Amino acid sequence: MLYHGSYLGGLRVIAANSRSHTTGRPVAYFTESRAYALVCCRPPEENFVTAGIGKDGRLHYFERFPDQLDVMYAGKVGYLYTVERGGSMAPASKPQAYESETDVPVLSCERVENVYAALLEELRKGTMILHRYEDVDPIEQKQNAIDIRESLLIDPISKPYRAFLIEHFKDLWE
């Protein structure tokens, strides 16, 4: 069984409409990690994922602005879909991740009433490690903010995502 996290409910298939980091072709992404699927339960205008599976096999979540985990997930509803790992699945470029170039039927869906509370439970269980913003070296904090500001000048990104980045980082690069 694999997970797929989304802010959208009622899906019957997980559509191959993301871009593969490996091939560039359309794919659907899945993970073995419930915690990682939970961090994917956010709308596209908040597509700010600062997490990945570490060498220890656990999800490591890195806050890049103060209270990021709380800001992004508190009180938000998400949906965890499960699918069967099948023949169309291929290992993705990240640990515990898989991609499929075809749509994948959903086996079950769990409505998560508060994604933040579910992530705190993953922390409690030890499947997730949270690297809090205040524990990051101030020089690294500043550099992360500068890198984001520079990407706003170069990359063509959606207006809602641009607004999200400006809202959460403007104080850090001023």
Side-chain angles (χ1 to χ4, degrees), residues 48 50 61-70 130-146 148 168-173:
F48 189 70
T50 56
Y61 189 96
F62 300 89
E63 288 188 328
R64 296 296 183 221
F65 59 85
D67 300 316
Q68 178 180 325
L69 193 72
D70 184 20
L130 177 59
H131 303 271
R132 292 259 182 218
Y133 177 79
E134 57 268 12
D135 297 331
V136 176
D137 181 289
I139 294 170
E140 185 180 343
Q141 290 174 359
K142 183 76 170 173
Q143 188 58 53
N144 286 328
I146 289 169
I148 287 169
H168 294 291
F169 287 93
K170 68 179 177 210
D171 296 340
L172 302 177
W173 63 61

PDB file of all heavy atoms in Angstrom, residues 48 50 61-70 130-146 148 168-173:
ATOM      1  N   PHE A  48       4.895  24.659  -0.982  1.00  0.00           N
ATOM      2  CA  PHE A  48       6.190  24.932  -0.372  1.00  0.00           C
ATOM      3  C   PHE A  48       6.548  23.735   0.497  1.00  0.00           C
ATOM      4  O   PHE A  48       6.235  23.682   1.678  1.00  0.00           O
ATOM      5  CB  PHE A  48       6.099  26.226   0.454  1.00  0.00           C
ATOM      6  CG  PHE A  48       7.422  26.716   0.955  1.00  0.00           C
ATOM      7  CD1 PHE A  48       8.359  27.238   0.087  1.00  0.00           C
ATOM      8  CD2 PHE A  48       7.716  26.668   2.308  1.00  0.00           C
ATOM      9  CE1 PHE A  48       9.574  27.702   0.554  1.00  0.00           C
ATOM     10  CE2 PHE A  48       8.930  27.130   2.780  1.00  0.00           C
ATOM     11  CZ  PHE A  48       9.865  27.649   1.908  1.00  0.00           C
ATOM     12  N   THR A  50       9.217  21.564   2.283  1.00  0.00           N
ATOM     13  CA  THR A  50      10.583  21.618   2.800  1.00  0.00           C
ATOM     14  C   THR A  50      10.828  20.379   3.648  1.00  0.00           C
ATOM     15  O   THR A  50      11.253  20.469   4.796  1.00  0.00           O
ATOM     16  CB  THR A  50      10.797  22.909   3.617  1.00  0.00           C
ATOM     17  OG1 THR A  50       9.816  22.969   4.649  1.00  0.00           O
ATOM     18  CG2 THR A  50      10.692  24.135   2.735  1.00  0.00           C
ATOM     19  N   TYR A  61      11.262  17.432   8.406  1.00  0.00           N
ATOM     20  CA  TYR A  61      10.561  18.643   7.984  1.00  0.00           C
ATOM     21  C   TYR A  61      11.368  19.836   8.483  1.00  0.00           C
ATOM     22  O   TYR A  61      11.645  19.958   9.669  1.00  0.00           O
ATOM     23  CB  TYR A  61       9.150  18.675   8.568  1.00  0.00           C
ATOM     24  CG  TYR A  61       8.294  19.785   7.989  1.00  0.00           C
ATOM     25  CD1 TYR A  61       7.425  19.524   6.942  1.00  0.00           C
ATOM     26  CD2 TYR A  61       8.376  21.086   8.470  1.00  0.00           C
ATOM     27  CE1 TYR A  61       6.646  20.529   6.395  1.00  0.00           C
ATOM     28  CE2 TYR A  61       7.600  22.099   7.923  1.00  0.00           C
ATOM     29  CZ  TYR A  61       6.739  21.814   6.893  1.00  0.00           C
ATOM     30  OH  TYR A  61       5.976  22.812   6.349  1.00  0.00           O
ATOM     31  N   PHE A  62      11.762  20.718   7.556  1.00  0.00           N
ATOM     32  CA  PHE A  62      12.594  21.875   7.865  1.00  0.00           C
ATOM     33  C   PHE A  62      11.774  23.152   7.735  1.00  0.00           C
ATOM     34  O   PHE A  62      11.343  23.495   6.633  1.00  0.00           O
ATOM     35  CB  PHE A  62      13.792  21.938   6.904  1.00  0.00           C
ATOM     36  CG  PHE A  62      14.677  20.728   6.984  1.00  0.00           C
ATOM     37  CD1 PHE A  62      14.427  19.617   6.197  1.00  0.00           C
ATOM     38  CD2 PHE A  62      15.743  20.700   7.857  1.00  0.00           C
ATOM     39  CE1 PHE A  62      15.233  18.491   6.274  1.00  0.00           C
ATOM     40  CE2 PHE A  62      16.563  19.578   7.943  1.00  0.00           C
ATOM     41  CZ  PHE A  62      16.302  18.471   7.145  1.00  0.00           C
ATOM     42  N   GLU A  63      11.558  23.841   8.844  1.00  0.00           N
ATOM     43  CA  GLU A  63      10.852  25.116   8.793  1.00  0.00           C
ATOM     44  C   GLU A  63      11.779  26.173   8.200  1.00  0.00           C
ATOM     45  O   GLU A  63      12.920  26.307   8.617  1.00  0.00           O
ATOM     46  CB  GLU A  63      10.395  25.544  10.193  1.00  0.00           C
ATOM     47  CG  GLU A  63       9.264  24.716  10.733  1.00  0.00           C
ATOM     48  CD  GLU A  63       8.688  25.276  12.024  1.00  0.00           C
ATOM     49  OE1 GLU A  63       9.439  25.888  12.819  1.00  0.00           O
ATOM     50  OE2 GLU A  63       7.484  25.106  12.225  1.00  0.00           O
ATOM     51  N   ARG A  64      11.264  26.930   7.243  1.00  0.00           N
ATOM     52  CA  ARG A  64      12.023  27.992   6.590  1.00  0.00           C
ATOM     53  C   ARG A  64      11.525  29.378   6.980  1.00  0.00           C
ATOM     54  O   ARG A  64      12.109  30.377   6.607  1.00  0.00           O
ATOM     55  CB  ARG A  64      11.984  27.832   5.076  1.00  0.00           C
ATOM     56  CG  ARG A  64      12.640  26.568   4.585  1.00  0.00           C
ATOM     57  CD  ARG A  64      14.117  26.574   4.911  1.00  0.00           C
ATOM     58  NE  ARG A  64      14.763  25.403   4.378  1.00  0.00           N
ATOM     59  CZ  ARG A  64      15.687  24.707   5.023  1.00  0.00           C
ATOM     60  NH1 ARG A  64      16.054  25.059   6.235  1.00  0.00           N
ATOM     61  NH2 ARG A  64      16.227  23.666   4.467  1.00  0.00           N
ATOM     62  N   PHE A  65      10.413  29.441   7.728  1.00  0.00           N
ATOM     63  CA  PHE A  65       9.938  30.684   8.318  1.00  0.00           C
ATOM     64  C   PHE A  65       9.313  30.327   9.668  1.00  0.00           C
ATOM     65  O   PHE A  65       8.993  29.158   9.921  1.00  0.00           O
ATOM     66  CB  PHE A  65       8.971  31.445   7.396  1.00  0.00           C
ATOM     67  CG  PHE A  65       7.732  30.705   6.985  1.00  0.00           C
ATOM     68  CD1 PHE A  65       6.597  30.698   7.796  1.00  0.00           C
ATOM     69  CD2 PHE A  65       7.673  30.036   5.770  1.00  0.00           C
ATOM     70  CE1 PHE A  65       5.445  30.036   7.415  1.00  0.00           C
ATOM     71  CE2 PHE A  65       6.529  29.375   5.375  1.00  0.00           C
ATOM     72  CZ  PHE A  65       5.413  29.378   6.200  1.00  0.00           C
ATOM     73  N   PRO A  66       9.179  31.308  10.576  1.00  0.00           N
ATOM     74  CA  PRO A  66       8.686  31.016  11.928  1.00  0.00           C
ATOM     75  C   PRO A  66       7.319  30.321  11.928  1.00  0.00           C
ATOM     76  O   PRO A  66       6.405  30.719  11.215  1.00  0.00           O
ATOM     77  CB  PRO A  66       8.593  32.401  12.576  1.00  0.00           C
ATOM     78  CG  PRO A  66       9.583  33.239  11.822  1.00  0.00           C
ATOM     79  CD  PRO A  66       9.536  32.721  10.405  1.00  0.00           C
ATOM     80  N   ASP A  67       7.235  29.269  12.725  1.00  0.00           N
ATOM     81  CA  ASP A  67       5.990  28.509  12.906  1.00  0.00           C
ATOM     82  C   ASP A  67       5.422  27.971  11.601  1.00  0.00           C
ATOM     83  O   ASP A  67       4.204  27.834  11.435  1.00  0.00           O
ATOM     84  CB  ASP A  67       4.941  29.363  13.619  1.00  0.00           C
ATOM     85  CG  ASP A  67       5.403  29.821  14.993  1.00  0.00           C
ATOM     86  OD1 ASP A  67       5.959  28.985  15.730  1.00  0.00           O
ATOM     87  OD2 ASP A  67       5.213  31.003  15.310  1.00  0.00           O
ATOM     88  N   GLN A  68       6.276  27.614  10.669  1.00  0.00           N
ATOM     89  CA  GLN A  68       5.842  27.163   9.341  1.00  0.00           C
ATOM     90  C   GLN A  68       4.883  25.983   9.408  1.00  0.00           C
ATOM     91  O   GLN A  68       3.853  25.991   8.732  1.00  0.00           O
ATOM     92  CB  GLN A  68       7.059  26.793   8.496  1.00  0.00           C
ATOM     93  CG  GLN A  68       6.712  26.268   7.119  1.00  0.00           C
ATOM     94  CD  GLN A  68       7.931  25.908   6.298  1.00  0.00           C
ATOM     95  OE1 GLN A  68       8.965  26.565   6.408  1.00  0.00           O
ATOM     96  NE2 GLN A  68       7.819  24.883   5.484  1.00  0.00           N
ATOM     97  N   LEU A  69       5.200  24.977  10.210  1.00  0.00           N
ATOM     98  CA  LEU A  69       4.335  23.803  10.260  1.00  0.00           C
ATOM     99  C   LEU A  69       2.929  24.189  10.707  1.00  0.00           C
ATOM    100  O   LEU A  69       1.938  23.790  10.088  1.00  0.00           O
ATOM    101  CB  LEU A  69       4.927  22.746  11.202  1.00  0.00           C
ATOM    102  CG  LEU A  69       4.297  21.371  11.110  1.00  0.00           C
ATOM    103  CD1 LEU A  69       4.695  20.679   9.812  1.00  0.00           C
ATOM    104  CD2 LEU A  69       4.711  20.520  12.299  1.00  0.00           C
ATOM    105  N   ASP A  70       2.842  25.004  11.741  1.00  0.00           N
ATOM    106  CA  ASP A  70       1.557  25.473  12.257  1.00  0.00           C
ATOM    107  C   ASP A  70       0.827  26.315  11.214  1.00  0.00           C
ATOM    108  O   ASP A  70      -0.349  26.094  10.915  1.00  0.00           O
ATOM    109  CB  ASP A  70       1.796  26.280  13.533  1.00  0.00           C
ATOM    110  CG  ASP A  70       0.515  26.736  14.204  1.00  0.00           C
ATOM    111  OD1 ASP A  70      -0.554  26.160  13.952  1.00  0.00           O
ATOM    112  OD2 ASP A  70       0.582  27.691  14.992  1.00  0.00           O
ATOM    113  N   LEU A 130      11.012  17.181  13.279  1.00  0.00           N
ATOM    114  CA  LEU A 130      10.767  18.587  12.957  1.00  0.00           C
ATOM    115  C   LEU A 130      12.001  19.408  13.305  1.00  0.00           C
ATOM    116  O   LEU A 130      12.464  19.401  14.435  1.00  0.00           O
ATOM    117  CB  LEU A 130       9.554  19.107  13.739  1.00  0.00           C
ATOM    118  CG  LEU A 130       9.218  20.581  13.566  1.00  0.00           C
ATOM    119  CD1 LEU A 130       8.939  20.935  12.109  1.00  0.00           C
ATOM    120  CD2 LEU A 130       8.022  20.952  14.443  1.00  0.00           C
ATOM    121  N   HIS A 131      12.522  20.097  12.304  1.00  0.00           N
ATOM    122  CA  HIS A 131      13.647  21.010  12.484  1.00  0.00           C
ATOM    123  C   HIS A 131      13.055  22.416  12.524  1.00  0.00           C
ATOM    124  O   HIS A 131      12.738  22.988  11.478  1.00  0.00           O
ATOM    125  CB  HIS A 131      14.656  20.853  11.336  1.00  0.00           C
ATOM    126  CG  HIS A 131      15.160  19.447  11.209  1.00  0.00           C
ATOM    127  ND1 HIS A 131      16.261  18.993  11.892  1.00  0.00           N
ATOM    128  CD2 HIS A 131      14.689  18.387  10.499  1.00  0.00           C
ATOM    129  CE1 HIS A 131      16.473  17.715  11.597  1.00  0.00           C
ATOM    130  NE2 HIS A 131      15.521  17.324  10.754  1.00  0.00           N
ATOM    131  N   ARG A 132      12.865  22.928  13.727  1.00  0.00           N
ATOM    132  CA  ARG A 132      12.203  24.221  13.935  1.00  0.00           C
ATOM    133  C   ARG A 132      13.030  25.374  13.381  1.00  0.00           C
ATOM    134  O   ARG A 132      14.252  25.358  13.408  1.00  0.00           O
ATOM    135  CB  ARG A 132      11.954  24.454  15.420  1.00  0.00           C
ATOM    136  CG  ARG A 132      10.925  23.525  15.991  1.00  0.00           C
ATOM    137  CD  ARG A 132       9.631  24.236  16.122  1.00  0.00           C
ATOM    138  NE  ARG A 132       8.623  23.364  16.710  1.00  0.00           N
ATOM    139  CZ  ARG A 132       7.378  23.361  16.335  1.00  0.00           C
ATOM    140  NH1 ARG A 132       6.967  24.164  15.385  1.00  0.00           N
ATOM    141  NH2 ARG A 132       6.518  22.567  16.897  1.00  0.00           N
ATOM    142  N   TYR A 133      12.333  26.392  12.918  1.00  0.00           N
ATOM    143  CA  TYR A 133      12.966  27.584  12.346  1.00  0.00           C
ATOM    144  C   TYR A 133      13.955  28.218  13.324  1.00  0.00           C
ATOM    145  O   TYR A 133      15.068  28.590  12.955  1.00  0.00           O
ATOM    146  CB  TYR A 133      11.890  28.591  11.949  1.00  0.00           C
ATOM    147  CG  TYR A 133      12.452  29.885  11.422  1.00  0.00           C
ATOM    148  CD1 TYR A 133      12.927  29.968  10.117  1.00  0.00           C
ATOM    149  CD2 TYR A 133      12.520  31.009  12.228  1.00  0.00           C
ATOM    150  CE1 TYR A 133      13.453  31.147   9.624  1.00  0.00           C
ATOM    151  CE2 TYR A 133      13.043  32.202  11.729  1.00  0.00           C
ATOM    152  CZ  TYR A 133      13.504  32.259  10.444  1.00  0.00           C
ATOM    153  OH  TYR A 133      14.033  33.421   9.962  1.00  0.00           O
ATOM    154  N   GLU A 134      13.561  28.332  14.584  1.00  0.00           N
ATOM    155  CA  GLU A 134      14.421  29.005  15.561  1.00  0.00           C
ATOM    156  C   GLU A 134      15.710  28.242  15.847  1.00  0.00           C
ATOM    157  O   GLU A 134      16.652  28.802  16.414  1.00  0.00           O
ATOM    158  CB  GLU A 134      13.667  29.307  16.858  1.00  0.00           C
ATOM    159  CG  GLU A 134      13.068  28.105  17.536  1.00  0.00           C
ATOM    160  CD  GLU A 134      11.631  27.831  17.114  1.00  0.00           C
ATOM    161  OE1 GLU A 134      11.135  28.426  16.135  1.00  0.00           O
ATOM    162  OE2 GLU A 134      10.994  26.990  17.770  1.00  0.00           O
ATOM    163  N   ASP A 135      15.781  26.979  15.444  1.00  0.00           N
ATOM    164  CA  ASP A 135      16.996  26.192  15.629  1.00  0.00           C
ATOM    165  C   ASP A 135      17.945  26.286  14.437  1.00  0.00           C
ATOM    166  O   ASP A 135      19.053  25.748  14.485  1.00  0.00           O
ATOM    167  CB  ASP A 135      16.639  24.726  15.887  1.00  0.00           C
ATOM    168  CG  ASP A 135      15.844  24.552  17.176  1.00  0.00           C
ATOM    169  OD1 ASP A 135      16.023  25.371  18.104  1.00  0.00           O
ATOM    170  OD2 ASP A 135      15.040  23.602  17.244  1.00  0.00           O
ATOM    171  N   VAL A 136      17.507  26.947  13.369  1.00  0.00           N
ATOM    172  CA  VAL A 136      18.332  27.116  12.175  1.00  0.00           C
ATOM    173  C   VAL A 136      19.256  28.315  12.387  1.00  0.00           C
ATOM    174  O   VAL A 136      18.839  29.346  12.915  1.00  0.00           O
ATOM    175  CB  VAL A 136      17.453  27.339  10.922  1.00  0.00           C
ATOM    176  CG1 VAL A 136      18.290  27.614   9.683  1.00  0.00           C
ATOM    177  CG2 VAL A 136      16.544  26.143  10.703  1.00  0.00           C
ATOM    178  N   ASP A 137      20.497  28.168  11.992  1.00  0.00           N
ATOM    179  CA  ASP A 137      21.468  29.255  12.103  1.00  0.00           C
ATOM    180  C   ASP A 137      20.918  30.505  11.412  1.00  0.00           C
ATOM    181  O   ASP A 137      20.418  30.420  10.283  1.00  0.00           O
ATOM    182  CB  ASP A 137      22.778  28.809  11.436  1.00  0.00           C
ATOM    183  CG  ASP A 137      23.861  29.854  11.510  1.00  0.00           C
ATOM    184  OD1 ASP A 137      23.743  30.879  10.810  1.00  0.00           O
ATOM    185  OD2 ASP A 137      24.827  29.634  12.259  1.00  0.00           O
ATOM    186  N   PRO A 138      20.992  31.688  12.063  1.00  0.00           N
ATOM    187  CA  PRO A 138      20.455  32.921  11.472  1.00  0.00           C
ATOM    188  C   PRO A 138      21.028  33.246  10.092  1.00  0.00           C
ATOM    189  O   PRO A 138      20.320  33.790   9.242  1.00  0.00           O
ATOM    190  CB  PRO A 138      20.825  34.002  12.489  1.00  0.00           C
ATOM    191  CG  PRO A 138      20.953  33.278  13.780  1.00  0.00           C
ATOM    192  CD  PRO A 138      21.478  31.905  13.424  1.00  0.00           C
ATOM    193  N   ILE A 139      22.272  32.890   9.851  1.00  0.00           N
ATOM    194  CA  ILE A 139      22.867  33.129   8.529  1.00  0.00           C
ATOM    195  C   ILE A 139      22.160  32.255   7.487  1.00  0.00           C
ATOM    196  O   ILE A 139      21.851  32.710   6.392  1.00  0.00           O
ATOM    197  CB  ILE A 139      24.388  32.867   8.550  1.00  0.00           C
ATOM    198  CG1 ILE A 139      25.065  33.902   9.455  1.00  0.00           C
ATOM    199  CG2 ILE A 139      24.969  32.873   7.142  1.00  0.00           C
ATOM    200  CD1 ILE A 139      26.516  33.607   9.758  1.00  0.00           C
ATOM    201  N   GLU A 140      21.877  31.010   7.844  1.00  0.00           N
ATOM    202  CA  GLU A 140      21.155  30.114   6.932  1.00  0.00           C
ATOM    203  C   GLU A 140      19.718  30.600   6.727  1.00  0.00           C
ATOM    204  O   GLU A 140      19.186  30.548   5.614  1.00  0.00           O
ATOM    205  CB  GLU A 140      21.154  28.689   7.474  1.00  0.00           C
ATOM    206  CG  GLU A 140      20.521  27.690   6.527  1.00  0.00           C
ATOM    207  CD  GLU A 140      20.527  26.261   7.058  1.00  0.00           C
ATOM    208  OE1 GLU A 140      21.281  25.954   8.000  1.00  0.00           O
ATOM    209  OE2 GLU A 140      19.745  25.451   6.517  1.00  0.00           O
ATOM    210  N   GLN A 141      19.067  31.091   7.795  1.00  0.00           N
ATOM    211  CA  GLN A 141      17.717  31.645   7.679  1.00  0.00           C
ATOM    212  C   GLN A 141      17.700  32.765   6.640  1.00  0.00           C
ATOM    213  O   GLN A 141      16.841  32.799   5.758  1.00  0.00           O
ATOM    214  CB  GLN A 141      17.248  32.217   9.020  1.00  0.00           C
ATOM    215  CG  GLN A 141      16.972  31.211  10.085  1.00  0.00           C
ATOM    216  CD  GLN A 141      16.648  31.883  11.420  1.00  0.00           C
ATOM    217  OE1 GLN A 141      16.651  33.103  11.535  1.00  0.00           O
ATOM    218  NE2 GLN A 141      16.383  31.074  12.427  1.00  0.00           N
ATOM    219  N   LYS A 142      18.637  33.676   6.767  1.00  0.00           N
ATOM    220  CA  LYS A 142      18.708  34.823   5.862  1.00  0.00           C
ATOM    221  C   LYS A 142      18.971  34.359   4.428  1.00  0.00           C
ATOM    222  O   LYS A 142      18.352  34.845   3.481  1.00  0.00           O
ATOM    223  CB  LYS A 142      19.799  35.788   6.338  1.00  0.00           C
ATOM    224  CG  LYS A 142      19.934  37.043   5.542  1.00  0.00           C
ATOM    225  CD  LYS A 142      18.833  38.007   5.884  1.00  0.00           C
ATOM    226  CE  LYS A 142      19.121  39.359   5.255  1.00  0.00           C
ATOM    227  NZ  LYS A 142      18.022  40.268   5.421  1.00  0.00           N
ATOM    228  N   GLN A 143      19.903  33.410   4.254  1.00  0.00           N
ATOM    229  CA  GLN A 143      20.229  32.926   2.917  1.00  0.00           C
ATOM    230  C   GLN A 143      19.035  32.244   2.268  1.00  0.00           C
ATOM    231  O   GLN A 143      18.779  32.426   1.076  1.00  0.00           O
ATOM    232  CB  GLN A 143      21.426  31.977   2.949  1.00  0.00           C
ATOM    233  CG  GLN A 143      21.933  31.606   1.562  1.00  0.00           C
ATOM    234  CD  GLN A 143      22.327  32.827   0.749  1.00  0.00           C
ATOM    235  OE1 GLN A 143      23.112  33.662   1.182  1.00  0.00           O
ATOM    236  NE2 GLN A 143      21.769  32.951  -0.457  1.00  0.00           N
ATOM    237  N   ASN A 144      18.268  31.461   3.037  1.00  0.00           N
ATOM    238  CA  ASN A 144      17.056  30.832   2.497  1.00  0.00           C
ATOM    239  C   ASN A 144      16.085  31.889   1.992  1.00  0.00           C
ATOM    240  O   ASN A 144      15.507  31.759   0.915  1.00  0.00           O
ATOM    241  CB  ASN A 144      16.370  29.963   3.558  1.00  0.00           C
ATOM    242  CG  ASN A 144      17.094  28.668   3.815  1.00  0.00           C
ATOM    243  OD1 ASN A 144      17.711  28.107   2.928  1.00  0.00           O
ATOM    244  ND2 ASN A 144      17.018  28.189   5.041  1.00  0.00           N
ATOM    245  N   ALA A 145      15.896  32.950   2.777  1.00  0.00           N
ATOM    246  CA  ALA A 145      14.983  34.021   2.374  1.00  0.00           C
ATOM    247  C   ALA A 145      15.486  34.728   1.116  1.00  0.00           C
ATOM    248  O   ALA A 145      14.709  35.017   0.206  1.00  0.00           O
ATOM    249  CB  ALA A 145      14.815  35.021   3.515  1.00  0.00           C
ATOM    250  N   ILE A 146      16.783  34.974   1.045  1.00  0.00           N
ATOM    251  CA  ILE A 146      17.362  35.627  -0.139  1.00  0.00           C
ATOM    252  C   ILE A 146      17.176  34.742  -1.368  1.00  0.00           C
ATOM    253  O   ILE A 146      16.810  35.230  -2.449  1.00  0.00           O
ATOM    254  CB  ILE A 146      18.849  35.966   0.094  1.00  0.00           C
ATOM    255  CG1 ILE A 146      18.955  37.108   1.115  1.00  0.00           C
ATOM    256  CG2 ILE A 146      19.553  36.319  -1.215  1.00  0.00           C
ATOM    257  CD1 ILE A 146      20.360  37.352   1.626  1.00  0.00           C
ATOM    258  N   ILE A 148      14.834  32.630  -1.936  1.00  0.00           N
ATOM    259  CA  ILE A 148      13.426  32.687  -2.339  1.00  0.00           C
ATOM    260  C   ILE A 148      13.129  34.000  -3.035  1.00  0.00           C
ATOM    261  O   ILE A 148      12.455  34.033  -4.067  1.00  0.00           O
ATOM    262  CB  ILE A 148      12.512  32.451  -1.127  1.00  0.00           C
ATOM    263  CG1 ILE A 148      12.597  30.971  -0.758  1.00  0.00           C
ATOM    264  CG2 ILE A 148      11.078  32.860  -1.413  1.00  0.00           C
ATOM    265  CD1 ILE A 148      11.988  30.609   0.550  1.00  0.00           C
ATOM    266  N   HIS A 168       5.154  35.237   3.675  1.00  0.00           N
ATOM    267  CA  HIS A 168       5.891  34.543   4.720  1.00  0.00           C
ATOM    268  C   HIS A 168       7.381  34.857   4.767  1.00  0.00           C
ATOM    269  O   HIS A 168       8.043  34.473   5.742  1.00  0.00           O
ATOM    270  CB  HIS A 168       5.659  33.039   4.600  1.00  0.00           C
ATOM    271  CG  HIS A 168       4.238  32.675   4.869  1.00  0.00           C
ATOM    272  ND1 HIS A 168       3.663  32.780   6.119  1.00  0.00           N
ATOM    273  CD2 HIS A 168       3.248  32.264   4.043  1.00  0.00           C
ATOM    274  CE1 HIS A 168       2.406  32.438   6.051  1.00  0.00           C
ATOM    275  NE2 HIS A 168       2.123  32.121   4.800  1.00  0.00           N
ATOM    276  N   PHE A 169       7.910  35.542   3.774  1.00  0.00           N
ATOM    277  CA  PHE A 169       9.349  35.804   3.762  1.00  0.00           C
ATOM    278  C   PHE A 169       9.738  37.273   3.720  1.00  0.00           C
ATOM    279  O   PHE A 169      10.894  37.596   3.912  1.00  0.00           O
ATOM    280  CB  PHE A 169      10.016  35.065   2.592  1.00  0.00           C
ATOM    281  CG  PHE A 169      10.094  33.590   2.826  1.00  0.00           C
ATOM    282  CD1 PHE A 169       9.105  32.756   2.357  1.00  0.00           C
ATOM    283  CD2 PHE A 169      11.138  33.047   3.539  1.00  0.00           C
ATOM    284  CE1 PHE A 169       9.156  31.397   2.594  1.00  0.00           C
ATOM    285  CE2 PHE A 169      11.209  31.686   3.782  1.00  0.00           C
ATOM    286  CZ  PHE A 169      10.213  30.860   3.310  1.00  0.00           C
ATOM    287  N   LYS A 170       8.810  38.180   3.491  1.00  0.00           N
ATOM    288  CA  LYS A 170       9.170  39.585   3.299  1.00  0.00           C
ATOM    289  C   LYS A 170       9.970  40.166   4.460  1.00  0.00           C
ATOM    290  O   LYS A 170      10.916  40.909   4.256  1.00  0.00           O
ATOM    291  CB  LYS A 170       7.941  40.431   3.007  1.00  0.00           C
ATOM    292  CG  LYS A 170       6.987  40.569   4.168  1.00  0.00           C
ATOM    293  CD  LYS A 170       5.801  41.432   3.813  1.00  0.00           C
ATOM    294  CE  LYS A 170       4.874  41.439   5.008  1.00  0.00           C
ATOM    295  NZ  LYS A 170       3.532  41.600   4.699  1.00  0.00           N
ATOM    296  N   ASP A 171       9.634  39.821   5.694  1.00  0.00           N
ATOM    297  CA  ASP A 171      10.360  40.334   6.857  1.00  0.00           C
ATOM    298  C   ASP A 171      11.780  39.787   6.950  1.00  0.00           C
ATOM    299  O   ASP A 171      12.651  40.398   7.571  1.00  0.00           O
ATOM    300  CB  ASP A 171       9.615  40.021   8.152  1.00  0.00           C
ATOM    301  CG  ASP A 171       8.272  40.713   8.239  1.00  0.00           C
ATOM    302  OD1 ASP A 171       8.077  41.707   7.508  1.00  0.00           O
ATOM    303  OD2 ASP A 171       7.432  40.262   9.022  1.00  0.00           O
ATOM    304  N   LEU A 172      12.013  38.643   6.338  1.00  0.00           N
ATOM    305  CA  LEU A 172      13.315  38.001   6.460  1.00  0.00           C
ATOM    306  C   LEU A 172      14.365  38.577   5.522  1.00  0.00           C
ATOM    307  O   LEU A 172      15.552  38.434   5.744  1.00  0.00           O
ATOM    308  CB  LEU A 172      13.174  36.493   6.219  1.00  0.00           C
ATOM    309  CG  LEU A 172      12.206  35.781   7.158  1.00  0.00           C
ATOM    310  CD1 LEU A 172      12.086  34.331   6.781  1.00  0.00           C
ATOM    311  CD2 LEU A 172      12.655  35.920   8.595  1.00  0.00           C
ATOM    312  N   TRP A 173      13.931  39.217   4.415  1.00  0.00           N
ATOM    313  CA  TRP A 173      14.943  39.765   3.505  1.00  0.00           C
ATOM    314  C   TRP A 173      14.965  41.278   3.502  1.00  0.00           C
ATOM    315  O   TRP A 173      15.747  41.904   2.796  1.00  0.00           O
ATOM    316  CB  TRP A 173      14.808  39.200   2.101  1.00  0.00           C
ATOM    317  CG  TRP A 173      13.542  39.498   1.369  1.00  0.00           C
ATOM    318  CD1 TRP A 173      13.058  40.716   1.030  1.00  0.00           C
ATOM    319  CD2 TRP A 173      12.598  38.554   0.867  1.00  0.00           C
ATOM    320  NE1 TRP A 173      11.866  40.591   0.355  1.00  0.00           N
ATOM    321  CE2 TRP A 173      11.573  39.268   0.233  1.00  0.00           C
ATOM    322  CE3 TRP A 173      12.545  37.172   0.877  1.00  0.00           C
ATOM    323  CZ2 TRP A 173      10.501  38.655  -0.374  1.00  0.00           C
ATOM    324  CZ3 TRP A 173      11.478  36.559   0.281  1.00  0.00           C
ATOM    325  CH2 TRP A 173      10.470  37.294  -0.338  1.00  0.00           C
TER     326      TRP A 173
END
